[in-house]
Amino acid sequence: MRLLKSIDTIAKARKHGGCVKSVTTVLSLFPRQLRGFDINNWRERRLIQLAREYPHEPEEKLLERLWGYREDLDGSTLTSSEFGTKLHAEMEEAVNQRIAGADYHSPYSHFYEPFMRWLDDAGVVPQLVEFSVMDNKRRVAGMIDFVGQRGKKRVLMDFKFRQGDPRRKSYETDLCQLAVEADIIANEWGYDIEDVECYSVIFDCVDAQMLVKKWPIHKVEWGIEAFDKLNESYNFFTGL
């Protein structure tokens, strides 16, 4: 499986042939407005407000302001996306070091150490990070942040770095992403879906609060069904 950066439109994907889309691409169709929160409406209102506050700034700068900035530990300023990517890499390295039997030490330990303690308390043994999955039937591919084991059950986790109380920052798109990737893993590795535990691990980028949220099996099954309906619509309308 290769990421083809040159194929960045549906037309190019049709011309190339044999492409699969990402799980997150399919989830961009998720009808948030039907589930109680329309992020597009919020985005439009916020961009109008920012354009009035900063009338001379280009569109790219306004989009950066839309999601905000973070001060890094060295005092430098990063976009929220850049800071989240940095923390994600720190989490990945901490888990990789644990898999290798070593401890990881960095200035960002206040973000990843609570998670490492949670693993110990929960009896979860990490096995893989950034694990790629692909489903030829669905024609989708995804990336699982964390794969582990607890007893006879597989444990899948997705890391999210957001701003604000983590208890208010878990979304059904998070569930659908994990659910379909769990279904792919279960089918490939010979597990029942009931034997795969799905968790969203949500961090507040401001004060390093953490929430480890387990999705119950009935929600996982709903997430699989919801994803498949969105995927069917995507395939129908794009012809992919």
Side-chain angles (χ1 to χ4, degrees):
M1 181 171 61
R2 291 186 301 127
L3 175 63
L4 300 176
K5 293 184 179 180
S6 61
I7 300 179
D8 53 5
T9 67
I10 291 172
K12 290 180 181 179
R14 288 198 199 100
K15 184 176 180 179
H16 184 278
C19 296
V20 299
K21 65 279 189 193
S22 70
V23 168
T24 52
T25 294
V26 174
L27 289 174
S28 67
L29 299 181
F30 193 92
R32 292 176 174 86
Q33 66 274 20
L34 299 181
R35 303 295 295 178
F37 175 61
D38 186 353
I39 193 171
N40 292 324
N41 184 42
W42 171 85
R43 192 197 325 251
E44 289 174 5
R45 288 188 286 106
R46 181 61 178 151
L47 280 173
I48 291 171
Q49 179 184 359
L50 289 170
R52 289 171 176 166
E53 292 179 15
Y54 305 96
H56 303 297
E57 288 194 346
E59 180 181 345
E60 295 77 14
K61 194 70 174 179
L62 292 175
L63 288 172
E64 284 185 4
R65 289 189 180 278
L66 178 66
W67 305 112
Y69 298 94
R70 302 288 176 272
E71 182 176 329
D72 205 351
L73 299 186
D74 62 2
S76 62
T77 299
L78 301 177
T79 66
S80 292
S81 176
E82 291 169 337
F83 191 60
T85 298
K86 191 169 191 175
L87 294 180
H88 198 287
E90 288 286 327
M91 183 68 65
E92 180 182 343
E93 185 60 26
V95 176
N96 270 326
Q97 292 293 331
R98 169 67 65 87
I99 293 171
D103 292 326
Y104 182 56
H105 302 283
S106 89
Y108 299 88
S109 60
H110 55 297
F111 282 99
Y112 60 76
E113 281 186 350
F115 176 68
M116 306 309 288
R117 289 195 296 269
W118 185 93
L119 292 178
D120 292 337
D121 294 342
V124 175
V125 179
Q127 296 177 319
L128 300 164
V129 292
E130 293 293 298
F131 182 68
S132 301
V133 296
M134 186 171 71
D135 188 318
N136 288 320
K137 184 176 180 181
R138 289 184 173 105
R139 301 198 301 280
V140 298
M143 184 78 72
I144 302 172
D145 289 337
F146 175 102
V147 180
Q149 190 89 16
R150 173 161 50 193
K152 295 182 178 180
K153 293 200 173 188
R154 288 285 178 180
V155 176
L156 305 187
M157 296 184 169
D158 186 45
F159 303 140
K160 300 295 185 186
F161 294 90
R162 291 167 174 155
Q163 180 179 356
D165 186 344
R167 293 171 299 178
R168 300 171 58 87
K169 296 295 179 177
S170 67
Y171 305 117
E172 288 178 324
T173 48
D174 303 340
L175 163 64
C176 291
Q177 179 181 350
L178 266 170
V180 71
E181 290 169 351
D183 194 48
I184 295 170
I185 285 282
N187 291 331
E188 286 189 354
W189 293 1
Y191 282 80
D192 292 328
I193 192 64
E194 293 84 359
D195 293 325
V196 182
E197 298 180 349
C198 295
Y199 294 83
S200 291
V201 185
I202 306 164
F203 298 87
D204 180 358
C205 289
V206 177
D207 62 10
Q209 289 186 75
M210 179 188 76
L211 172 70
V212 181
K213 177 173 181 174
K214 182 179 181 180
W215 296 99
I217 185 59
H218 74 276
K219 293 294 290 183
V220 172
E221 291 171 339
W222 180 91
I224 295 169
E225 183 178 1
F227 181 88
D228 285 340
K229 290 180 184 298
L230 293 173
N231 193 43
E232 182 179 352
S233 295
Y234 186 97
N235 293 338
F236 177 81
F237 286 107
T238 64
L240 293 178

